[in-house]
Amino acid sequence: MGRIFVNLVKWLLPKALGPRLRGDRRKGMISAFAVLALSACAAPYVQPPLTPPSDFAGPVVRSHVLVMSDGARLPYMRWAPQGREPWAVIVALHGMNDHDASFRLAGPWWAEQGIETWAYDQRGFGAAPGRGVWAGQERMTDDLRQVAALARARHPDAIIAVVGESMGGSVAAAAFGSDDPPDADRVVLLAPGVWGWSTQGWLNSAALNIAARMAGSKAVEPPAFIADRIRASSNVLELYRNGRDPMSLLSTRFDTLYGLVDLMETASRRLGLIRAPAILMYGAHDQVVEPGPMRRALEQVPASSTLRTAWYPDGWHLLNRDLQAEVVYRDVAAFLRDPQVTLPSGAGPVLERLRARR
């Protein structure tokens, strides 16, 4: 996610901005900062909210869509236990350029355990409004609040949990670490994106700022020499399927990447502010959210925080789609039952493992 696209920005920046950044390195950087200064007032584009019809009655659950407060219709997939009420309901948030089907393996497994899952397309992704255009973290976190409230209203006696994968974990951390957290009882962060501005370095940050302002609408796809170096899962068949899925986005706008990094900065700063029982799960082979940014984010979490972490020695980035995904499913179900329980996998704290690898 962050690593792929920041490398992409650095590779494509001269091509996107043309002669403004050509020439020797020193002149190029002088030009870069001049462009950034001149364009500081031109904020990267964020898709605006919709205008609901005059007879709109507010957020509601419809067949296959969740209707938000501005009338936006967010498609969602639902997996429910057969013939019984769920004891827990998971609101599931997909990652960058993905969509609701990212939980198509986890949802049926959890349903067999009596857990219902609602996985929806976040704005800008899948079949949600503004495909390919960043919706802004304020709108994305507010959508999460509304979906959690809808789940609570539909199942008042169930445990309501939010499970966010990658960028979805960033959205969950930003929302639950805010002054207005969603109405949910548990938070599960699956390798959340935490590679924000404070860990990008000045060159990456300057490059992305310029690209987002001067060529924000330009959508580019990572070239093979960048993308092939980074593997997201041990499940190669799932990676192949996801790459061929017409609902997945293969190219990304520069202003969307800017919004993603901004969201990841917020998430990294709010991990320790989450008040609901929460757990962060991370795989030893994660090449997307790298160990360095994850370690620095966890080092900011105060000792008084109740955030738990779980380290998976065989895990990659897409923990809910890895070959060992059932280990994670089982741990999530146990955590929903009792946030203090020893996880079935025995997964231990993440930070001490990351420090040992330095």
Side-chain angles (χ1 to χ4, degrees):
M1 184 176 55
R3 180 180 172 191
I4 293 175
F5 290 113
V6 168
N7 285 336
L8 180 61
V9 168
K10 291 193 291 186
W11 181 71
L12 283 174
L13 189 57
K15 299 172 177 59
L17 302 186
R20 282 169 287 195
L21 291 183
R22 290 181 186 150
D24 63 49
R25 181 178 178 84
R26 185 182 177 200
K27 289 180 180 178
M29 290 314 301
I30 291 172
S31 298
F33 283 112
V35 171
L36 180 58
L38 290 172
S39 61
C41 61
Y45 184 76
V46 174
Q47 62 168 285
L50 303 181
T51 301
S54 58
D55 60 348
F56 183 65
V60 66
V61 180
R62 300 286 189 204
S63 177
H64 306 298
V65 296
L66 303 169
V67 184
M68 299 291 96
S69 60
D70 64 345
R73 299 166 66 86
L74 308 183
Y76 83 115
M77 301 182 74
R78 173 178 167 268
W79 298 272
Q82 294 297 313
R84 52 177 168 154
E85 279 294 303
W87 62 266
V89 177
I90 289 174
V91 174
L93 301 174
H94 63 76
M96 182 70 174
N97 289 348
D98 216 327
H99 60 106
D100 54 5
S102 63
F103 286 87
R104 68 184 187 86
L105 303 179
W109 195 96
W110 283 324
E112 291 181 356
Q113 313 306 311
I115 303 169
E116 184 164 315
T117 302
W118 297 13
Y120 68 92
D121 287 350
Q122 299 186 75
R123 295 186 198 226
F125 303 97
R131 179 175 168 85
V133 181
W134 189 249
Q137 58 181 286
E138 182 177 349
R139 182 74 255 180
M140 296 167 81
T141 55
D142 197 48
D143 284 344
L144 173 57
R145 292 182 186 94
Q146 293 179 44
V147 176
L150 291 171
R152 177 76 76 189
R154 180 65 64 94
H155 297 285
D157 298 324
I159 293 169
I160 306 299
V162 172
V163 176
E165 175 183 77
S166 194
M167 181 197 76
S170 306
V171 172
F176 282 94
S178 73
D179 293 332
D180 184 20
D183 180 17
D185 306 299
R186 311 278 192 271
V187 187
V188 178
L189 309 175
L190 302 177
V194 290
W195 206 29
W197 299 112
S198 57
T199 53
Q200 288 292 330
W202 70 269
L203 183 57
N204 284 357
S205 297
L208 183 51
N209 267 279
I210 296 166
R213 287 168 166 80
M214 301 301 293
S217 63
K218 184 177 181 63
V220 288
E221 187 174 339
F225 77 86
I226 290 176
D228 289 350
R229 286 189 243 153
I230 299 172
R231 184 174 163 189
S233 175
S234 57
N235 190 341
V236 177
L237 289 179
E238 180 62 15
L239 293 177
Y240 182 81
R241 185 210 66 81
N242 196 57
R244 294 298 185 96
D245 188 336
M247 297 309 296
S248 298
L249 287 169
L250 300 181
S251 60
T252 305
R253 293 167 50 125
F254 283 122
D255 49 17
T256 292
L257 175 57
Y258 178 97
L260 171 65
V261 175
D262 210 41
L263 170 66
M264 291 195 292
E265 178 67 20
T266 300
S268 68
R269 293 180 180 275
R270 291 184 181 175
L271 284 178
L273 300 177
I274 299 173
R275 295 179 289 281
I279 188 167
L280 184 153
M281 299 176 167
Y282 186 73
H285 301 289
D286 198 323
Q287 298 177 354
V288 179
V289 176
E290 294 182 309
M294 180 59 72
R295 174 178 52 79
R296 287 188 286 273
L298 290 175
E299 285 176 341
Q300 296 181 62
V301 176
S304 58
S305 171
T306 58
L307 176 70
R308 291 185 64 180
T309 61
W311 170 268
Y312 295 92
D314 298 323
W316 293 66
H317 182 61
L318 300 178
L319 289 169
N320 96 68
R321 284 172 277 182
D322 279 347
L323 294 178
Q324 57 95 53
E326 283 196 17
V327 173
V328 174
Y329 302 162
R330 196 172 292 110
D331 282 359
V332 169
F335 178 79
L336 298 193
R337 283 281 190 192
D338 179 1
Q340 305 302 321
V341 72
T342 299
L343 299 177
S345 70
V350 171
L351 185 55
E352 64 183 46
R353 297 295 188 121
L354 294 179
R355 283 173 169 165
R357 294 174 60 175
R358 292 179 66 179

